[in-house]
Amino acid sequence: MKIIKLISLFFIVSTSLLLVQCTTDPIPGPAGEDGIDGVDGVDGVSGTAECAACHNVSTTEEVHASYLFSGHYNENMDHGDGPLSQYANRGFPGGLASACTACHTSDGYIDWAETGIPMVGSAPVYPGTQTITCTTCHSKHSTFDFENDGFDYALRFIAPIELIADASYTIDYGAEDASSHTCASCHQPRSKFEDSLLENGNVNVGGRFGPHYGAQSTLLEGIQGAEIAGSLPYDAPTSAAHRSGSSCTSCHMGESIDLNIGKHSWNWTETSCTTCHTNGVPTEVAGFAEDVATLKDLLVDKGLLTPEGSPVPGEYPVSEASALWNYRMMYYDHSNGVHNPNYAKALVKNSIEALSAN
């Protein structure tokens, strides 16, 4: 009986092996004919071609050479006896208005752009000499779809700027002039006149009274002056021709054959002016320098200002403190009223009238 079962099992296994052999080892047929070769494809556009339009030796050398003529390079936050960063590499609690590092150190500016919060503390907060370099303002592109999204030039600030002194106001040059937002990020006041008002109606004037050195963007905008009523009206914000028809970069970074004009020197070009001033470049705002000198003399006579131009700390009536603020705004702007001639003339002229009446 056992022998019969073994013979049956052997037969089953043998048959299985024959079946597997038949299905897994077919007899090959004749070789097929060779196929026809495909057509060669067209080479694609170089992936770096668009990048190389800007990122090339010729362009970068010109940028670096032009930058050597700029105030940002030559002064590098210089306060007369060394980089201002040695004094301003610090800050105090209280937000951006107190954080000197946000604009006076390279690392602080980068932290502000990336996180919204620069470091503060006793000097020095950041190591080394914190001068402005290419990477202070430029980092990486937010998009590489330049055709649809425009060129952001890898700038850290390209969005409209919410003012430090007044978060309810935003400076917006539009998408075509978005690079000007980089300028406005630092070239804006750290305080406004109303911040110094006292409950008794007077104004507290300290040794640093005024809008600090960033008054350029707000004067161009036509805002944040101490608007005293007088013979000259104040134009509506953003209505000035220099604001509605131009921007920071269109005037200060124009094309030029001279490295020390336009480009990254940030020195204004005549062609930026003659586009509108077809009869030639105005050399000054008529009568403005004389009015500023008159305003200074009145402030010195009333004891609000030293002959050297520094505020005299104290508590003053609104009309007198307003005139002092407007003088300091013109000083900190450094454009001799050019950024916004009508607004600048109104602030100065009306301040003179207010002081002369008292």
Side-chain angles (χ1 to χ4, degrees), residues 245 250 269-278 281:
S250 63
T269 60
E270 288 194 4
T271 53
S272 299
C273 301
T274 54
T275 300
C276 296
H277 295 278
T278 55
V281 181

Side-chain angles (χ1 to χ4, degrees), residues 188-309:
Q188 59 166 304
R190 269 41 182 179
S191 61
K192 59 183 185 297
F193 176 74
E194 291 77 10
D195 294 337
S196 299
L197 288 172
L198 299 172
E199 291 184 358
N200 62 8
N202 290 333
V203 177
N204 178 48
V205 171
R208 294 181 179 274
F209 185 73
H212 200 55
Y213 281 98
Q216 293 85 1
S217 63
T218 49
L219 182 58
L220 179 63
E221 200 78 357
I223 60 172
Q224 291 194 1
E227 299 181 3
I228 306 170
S231 61
L232 294 182
Y234 298 102
D235 294 340
T238 73
S239 64
H242 285 173
R243 170 64 175 85
S244 60
S246 59
S247 65
C248 307
T249 54
S250 63
C251 287
H252 289 276
M253 296 189 72
E255 290 299 319
S256 169
I257 60 174
D258 297 322
L259 292 174
N260 64 339
I261 298 176
K263 305 177 188 274
H264 274 75
S265 74
W266 292 293
N267 296 319
W268 58 270
T269 60
E270 288 194 4
T271 53
S272 299
C273 301
T274 54
T275 300
C276 296
H277 295 278
T278 55
N279 292 327
V281 181
T283 56
E284 61 180 355
V285 177
F288 183 76
E290 293 80 1
D291 284 345
V292 171
T294 298
L295 178 57
K296 179 181 179 181
D297 290 341
L298 287 170
L299 290 167
V300 171
D301 291 342
K302 289 185 175 293
L304 280 80
L305 193 71
T306 68
E308 294 75 28

